[in-house]
Amino acid sequence: MGRARPPENAASTRRQPRARTGRRRAGLGIRSVAGQALILQVVVALLIVAAGATALVLQADRDSEREARRRSLSVAQTFAHSPGVADALTSRDPTRELQPGAEAVRKSTDVDFVVVTDERGIRYAHPNPKLIGKRFVGDIDTPLSGQPVTEMVDSDIGRLLQATVPVENAEGEVVGLVSAGVLASSVGDVVHDQLPVLLGGAAIGLLLATGGIVLAARRLSRQTHGLGPAEMARMYEHYDAVLHAVREGVLIVGDRRLLLANDEARRLLELPADAEGRAVTDLGLHPRMTQMLVSGRVATDEVIAAGGRLLAVSNRPAQRAGGPVGVVATLRDTTELHELSGEAAMARDRLRLLYDSSVTIGTTLDVVRTARELAETTVPDLADFTTVDLVEGVPEGEEPVPGHPAGMRRIALHGIREDCPLYPEGEPIRFVTSTPQARGVAGARGVLAADLRTSPGWHAQDPERARAIVEYGIHSLIAVPLRSRNVVLGVVNFWRSERPEPFEEDDLSLAEEVAAHAAACIDNARRYTREHTMAETLQQSLLPSGLPEQNALDVAYRYLPAQAGVGGDWFDVIPLPGARAALVVGDVVGHGLHAAATMGRLRTAVHNFSALDMAPDELLGHLNDLALHIDHDEPGTGSDGLTGATCLYAIYDPVARVCTVARAGHPPPAVVDPDGSVRFAEVPAGPPLGLSGFPFESVELPLAAGSRLVLYTDGLVEQRGRDIDVGLDTLREVLARGEQDPEEICRQLLRALLPERPEDDIALLVARTRSVPADRIAEWAVPADPAAVAEVRTAVSGRLAAWGLAEEAFTTELILSELVTNAIRYGGSPIRARLILDRSLICEVADGSSTSPHLRRATTMDEGGRGLFLVAQLAERWGTRYTPTGKVIWTEQPLPAR
């Protein structure tokens, strides 16, 4: 490497004298191309300027004469048609009438004279008064015939250009002539006045042209480096020989036109013989090649197809040292290289299809949608048409029977066109054993039918349809069974029509991989569908199938499951003693079987706790204890336990017309008063069930008869993209319309608030309150004296007789006497007895003690203990409920049939 530097330095030293010589020769010598071009261009410019100046002088002369003719004719016509001219010509003294006007016109216009004559040519008006009365010089015959004339004449005042027009009277007769014009010397004066300007402009033009020529010559001298014609000819011959000898195509483009193409470029691009000089867009090149050459975009080895070749194209701008703008493109034939890499490209395409199928197939847990995703993903990359046939029952989630499936149904059909004669979607299909589909299912592998025209087994399925398919252009088929967990779910068919080449073994391997992934996705969707159906069935079985009979409330309800999955919303209407009714709405967090099962357990617990006639806050407390331990007794089940639930429990008493409400994390109820005003009840919001042990609070809401009570779950008022406050405002607006019927209120609320695709369950309960008429209620205050029992019996007997229930008097007296006696003996004051006539006859005895009586069986020797036993035997139901001041013992007796 130490020996390499001296030659480089020496070469550099040798190049320096050439550079100096080049600079010395880069002048405007007479022998250089630039000098000769300069002399020639200066001579040409001088001739052009001289010719231009002469032409301008002649043109100016013609323009001046043309303007004089136009002006003279215009002035003569204007004066001839002026009012009074024709009358003046026939007056006694025409000169006195016409001379002043003619002179005024002459002085106010750019003419040298205005002459008026009679029809014989005798002058009546002239700028020179001495010539008035003399004969007019010029052509008068043409004007006398009614036509104007413009002419150049020699007159008494010199050579002039005049226009003569006739003057006509009202009858159209020519009564005289008017002539206006200018002296020839005046026309020449205009040209002479402009001559200095014209000559000066020509001189300036010559100077500018000469300067431009000098600048162009200097630039040409720099570009040719001062070379002479012979030297440049030799250099061109050398460059041309090198350009056409290289095995790489070269294109030079300037101003969007092909300036040069060597032999290799012509061969690679198959250019016509006259390609040079033509627009690039007219050469018939590949659009990408045309765009690259026209735009000048920089590119390096960009592959572009040209005929049957693949060319590596490099493109660079050609502007250098202030030269013209253009591009130089080089072309190399890389067809053989790309043919060698074709297999790699095919492998990449197949990997891309496998990746796309893993991403786009199985995006939902819907069997039909997954089958359609399989068909859409493989068209057109793998097949022109794809059909998916599933075993009957698989779309509904049923478990397929192991072995050869009895029948299938076409679930998906997708292709490049919609008019194909294949079986349509929904068509039941039973493949015969000779078809590729049946052989694929039996052999648990894909089957390739490269040429359907020579596939008799496939034709046996449906000869007429097979003939139509072949005539349509479908010529090749791959049938792959959809298997998961060693069970056949269906078969996917790939059909080819547009591409002339048939399917190959590599296509079969790719189709089997795609089908294996799709089968797993379809099986997952099928299992989800089965579980979802089971959860819906379970949920429907756990929800009330109807409303119980009761007189306290007029109730309507709606339940709508979420489309995303089964949820845990529920509702209930529970009749309670004392003609009361309980309303319940709850929501278990989550979806699926676990949420539905938890909902069923909580609903059952609410029923059980309601049977104990608990207050709402006490009932929610017991329900919360149950929720805290709801899954602790199921170790090893894999359940996540209860993650939270909300509940609202309300008891309406139609006698007192009071509703007692408590809630555990649930939205507040809406109350519509009889006057139409809407309010959300201010009920303390306790924590959700199963999250803490804090106590709950209840409130009493006085409700007049005809009030509407609206209970709902959060799915009605809250959804993605809409705040719960917006939903509550909409709920208030709908309720404020004043609708009375609970059924219609349900319809209006769902119409206004139900989203297109509910993401959560919706439970809605609308109740209109009723009241027990005062004449169906009887109440007595009982003193703590055993003697008062007889008075109560008497009063009860009278009231029953008034109600038409005299036959129930004995049983009712016995029940009340036992209950009042127990209250006097074991309870505390105050003691009250009450009868309520509702769907049954209700007896209630209240006292100030919180001690609950217990039913027991008395022995033969016991003196007491048989009172409650008798009550239980005589009444249909009986029980105890606690109040803030004590307890109430109640019984219900069925009313006699009417």
Side-chain angles (χ1 to χ4, degrees):
M1 295 179 65
R3 292 191 298 272
R5 288 184 180 176
E8 290 181 2
N9 295 336
S12 177
T13 303
R14 288 194 299 270
R15 282 195 298 268
Q16 290 177 1
R18 290 179 60 88
R20 287 195 298 269
T21 302
R23 286 193 297 270
R24 188 168 55 248
R25 297 178 62 183
L28 294 177
I30 192 63
R31 299 181 60 183
S32 67
V33 173
Q36 296 175 5
L38 173 61
I39 295 174
L40 178 61
Q41 290 177 359
V42 169
V43 173
V44 172
L46 183 60
L47 294 176
I48 291 175
V49 170
T54 303
L56 286 174
V57 170
L58 297 177
Q59 182 66 33
D61 190 20
R62 288 195 299 271
D63 291 344
S64 298
E65 182 178 344
R66 186 183 303 110
E67 175 61 21
R69 288 175 179 272
R70 184 197 62 78
R71 188 168 63 249
S72 299
L73 180 62
S74 175
V75 171
Q77 288 179 334
T78 302
F79 189 82
H81 292 88
S82 298
V85 173
D87 295 337
L89 286 170
T90 58
S91 64
R92 293 182 177 181
D93 191 356
T95 298
R96 186 172 60 86
E97 297 289 338
L98 296 172
Q99 180 68 10
E103 284 299 295
V105 170
R106 180 183 66 82
K107 294 177 180 180
S108 62
T109 59
D110 293 332
V111 296
D112 293 330
F113 63 89
V114 176
V115 177
V116 182
T117 71
D118 60 6
E119 65 273 13
R120 297 170 298 169
I122 303 302
R123 297 174 177 143
Y124 287 158
H126 194 279
N128 188 354
K130 296 179 179 180
L131 299 179
I132 296 175
K134 294 184 178 181
R135 188 171 182 81
F136 175 75
V137 178
D139 182 10
I140 65 172
D141 295 333
T142 301
L144 289 175
S145 64
Q147 298 296 326
V149 63
T150 303
E151 57 187 343
M152 186 74 74
V153 299
D154 294 323
S155 68
D156 300 332
I157 59 176
R159 186 170 177 79
L160 51 83
L161 175 67
Q162 65 182 11
T164 307
V165 298
V167 179
E168 299 177 349
N169 58 15
E171 288 76 17
E173 298 176 349
V174 177
V175 297
L177 303 176
V178 175
S179 177
V182 296
L183 297 174
S185 59
S186 299
V187 177
D189 291 342
V190 174
V191 176
H192 294 157
D193 293 341
Q194 295 178 352
L195 188 59
V197 177
L198 295 175
L199 294 178
I204 294 173
L206 178 60
L207 292 176
L208 293 177
T210 304
I213 292 171
V214 172
L215 293 177
R218 288 187 177 277
R219 182 175 181 183
L220 177 61
S221 178
R222 287 195 302 269
Q223 292 178 345
T224 61
H225 301 285
L227 298 176
E231 293 172 316
M232 290 191 65
R234 285 195 301 272
M235 183 179 295
Y236 172 78
E237 291 173 356
H238 293 161
Y239 285 161
D240 186 67
V242 173
L243 183 66
H244 293 285
V246 297
R247 302 303 299 169
E248 189 171 278
V250 178
L251 297 175
I252 300 178
V253 176
D255 194 22
R256 299 190 175 190
R257 293 184 176 275
L258 179 63
L259 303 181
L260 185 144
N262 68 349
D263 293 342
E264 184 67 7
R266 291 176 179 274
R267 183 184 69 85
L268 294 177
L269 297 177
E270 300 178 356
L271 296 176
D274 60 344
E276 294 181 356
R278 292 172 57 180
V280 175
T281 55
D282 297 337
L283 298 178
L285 302 179
H286 190 279
R288 286 176 55 200
M289 174 75 79
T290 302
Q291 187 273 337
M292 181 187 299
L293 296 177
V294 170
S295 65
R297 175 172 57 87
V298 176
T300 301
D301 289 338
E302 183 171 328
V303 179
I304 298 178
R309 299 182 178 90
L310 293 177
L311 305 180
V313 183
S314 297
N315 201 48
R316 292 291 185 276
Q319 185 177 13
R320 182 179 177 185
V325 179
V327 295
V328 175
T330 60
L331 318 172
R332 288 185 293 108
D333 190 353
T334 61
T335 304
E336 295 181 358
L337 178 63
H338 281 78
E339 289 177 352
L340 293 176
S341 61
E343 294 183 1
M346 187 178 299
R348 285 196 303 270
D349 293 340
R350 289 176 175 173
L351 287 175
R352 187 184 69 251
L353 178 59
L354 289 175
Y355 172 77
D356 291 343
S357 64
S358 66
V359 173
T360 58
I361 299 176
T363 59
T364 66
L365 290 173
D366 182 86
V367 175
V368 175
R369 180 58 195 158
T370 304
R372 288 176 178 166
E373 289 172 348
L374 168 59
E376 294 169 359
T377 302
T378 54
V379 174
D381 293 337
L382 178 59
D384 296 322
F385 297 92
T386 299
T387 59
V388 181
D389 308 320
L390 297 182
V391 176
E392 292 283 6
V394 169
E396 290 76 27
E398 297 179 9
E399 186 79 22
V401 179
H404 195 285
M408 297 186 185
R409 185 176 296 274
R410 178 138 298 171
I411 301 300
L413 166 60
H414 185 71
I416 58 176
R417 295 190 299 272
E418 299 181 356
D419 58 344
C420 65
L422 299 171
Y423 286 118
E425 291 183 0
E427 183 79 12
I429 305 173
R430 185 180 296 273
F431 293 108
V432 299
T433 56
S434 62
T435 59
Q437 292 87 348
R439 289 188 286 121
V441 170
R445 58 179 178 80
V447 175
L448 169 62
D451 190 354
L452 292 178
R453 293 170 296 182
T454 59
S455 179
W458 174 72
H459 282 265
Q461 173 71 30
D462 188 342
E464 184 176 350
R465 185 178 294 273
R467 185 165 48 256
I469 292 174
V470 171
E471 292 175 355
Y472 184 77
I474 297 177
H475 58 83
S476 193
L477 165 67
I478 291 179
V480 183
L482 296 171
R483 295 175 57 86
S484 179
R485 298 180 295 112
N486 295 324
V487 175
V488 177
L489 302 174
V491 63
V492 55
N493 307 289
F494 303 101
W495 312 82
R496 181 168 286 181
S497 64
E498 289 295 313
R499 285 178 281 185
E501 63 275 10
F503 285 117
E504 301 175 349
E505 290 295 331
D506 291 340
D507 298 318
L508 176 60
S509 300
L510 177 61
E512 288 179 334
E513 293 187 47
V514 174
H517 171 71
C521 295
I522 291 175
D523 191 49
N524 288 339
R526 180 197 61 78
R527 294 165 66 185
Y528 170 79
T529 302
R530 181 187 61 183
E531 294 180 2
H532 182 72
T533 303
M534 293 172 57
E536 281 188 338
T537 304
L538 173 63
Q539 185 186 43
Q540 293 296 331
S541 66
L542 295 175
L543 289 173
S545 58
L547 296 179
E549 295 182 354
Q550 46 82 34
N551 289 344
L553 300 165
D554 183 10
V555 181
Y557 67 91
R558 293 290 188 278
Y559 174 77
L560 298 174
Q563 293 190 11
V566 174
D569 291 14
W570 89 92
F571 65 93
D572 255 319
V573 179
I574 306 174
L576 296 178
R580 299 169 303 146
L583 299 176
V584 190
V585 172
D587 184 5
V588 176
V589 176
H591 295 86
L593 281 173
H594 182 69
T598 302
M599 176 270 290
R601 298 175 70 175
L602 292 179
R603 179 171 177 259
T604 301
V606 170
H607 272 268
N608 293 335
F609 293 145
S610 297
L612 299 177
D613 214 345
M614 294 181 178
D617 54 344
E618 183 181 0
L619 185 144
L620 290 181
H622 287 288
L623 197 61
N624 185 56
D625 292 339
L626 173 65
L628 287 171
H629 304 87
I630 197 166
D631 283 329
H632 291 181
D633 57 346
E634 299 179 1
T637 60
S639 172
D640 295 332
L642 179 64
T643 58
T646 65
C647 183
L648 186 146
Y649 187 82
I651 298 177
Y652 175 67
D653 186 350
V655 177
R657 294 187 291 277
V658 171
C659 184
T660 306
V661 186
R663 63 187 178 116
H666 204 81
V671 179
V672 185
D673 294 324
D675 60 1
S677 59
V678 182
R679 55 192 168 95
F680 290 100
E682 296 182 0
V683 182
L689 301 174
L691 299 184
S692 69
F694 290 104
F696 299 91
E697 298 181 55
S698 61
V699 296
E700 292 186 350
L701 306 175
L703 297 178
S707 300
R708 278 86 71 201
L709 191 64
V710 181
L711 282 63
Y712 51 91
T713 55
D714 58 356
L716 180 68
V717 295
E718 185 179 18
Q719 59 177 293
R720 184 179 302 175
R722 185 182 70 187
D723 189 72
I724 188 173
D725 292 334
V726 177
L728 292 175
D729 292 341
T730 305
L731 177 67
R732 183 195 300 271
E733 293 174 1
V734 174
L735 295 178
R737 297 173 185 172
E739 180 59 46
Q740 299 289 330
D741 182 38
E743 282 289 341
E744 183 59 29
I745 293 176
C746 287
R747 283 191 288 269
Q748 292 183 5
L749 288 176
L750 292 182
R751 189 180 302 117
L753 292 168
L754 182 64
E756 182 177 352
R757 183 179 176 85
E759 299 176 355
D760 195 7
D761 292 10
I762 296 176
L764 175 63
L765 203 60
V766 179
R768 183 171 56 193
T769 61
R770 299 171 179 170
S771 63
V772 179
D775 59 355
R776 288 175 170 264
I777 304 172
E779 189 172 4
W780 302 274
V782 181
D785 182 1
V789 175
E791 297 177 0
V792 172
R793 292 169 66 108
T794 303
V796 167
S797 178
R799 178 51 60 95
L800 291 177
W803 287 344
L805 299 174
E807 63 273 19
E808 300 294 325
F810 175 77
T811 302
T812 306
E813 290 176 9
L814 183 57
I815 291 174
L816 274 178
S817 63
E818 289 294 335
L819 295 180
V820 171
T821 300
N822 283 341
I824 294 173
R825 181 177 298 179
Y826 305 109
S829 299
I831 302 172
R832 303 188 66 83
R834 184 168 67 175
L835 285 180
I836 302 174
L837 180 59
D838 193 54
R839 301 181 67 85
S840 61
L841 182 60
I842 303 171
C843 302
E844 295 181 345
V845 175
D847 63 73
S849 172
S850 59
T851 303
S852 176
H854 297 282
L855 179 65
R856 67 183 181 88
R857 184 178 294 275
T859 64
T860 306
M861 301 303 295
D862 288 342
E863 295 183 0
R866 295 178 177 83
L868 284 180
F869 183 78
L870 290 175
V871 171
Q873 293 296 317
L874 295 175
E876 185 178 38
R877 290 195 310 158
W878 76 282
T880 305
R881 71 172 179 272
Y882 295 94
T883 65
T885 59
K887 67 177 182 296
V888 175
I889 309 296
W890 56 269
T891 65
E892 290 184 2
Q893 301 168 241
L895 297 177
R898 298 293 183 179

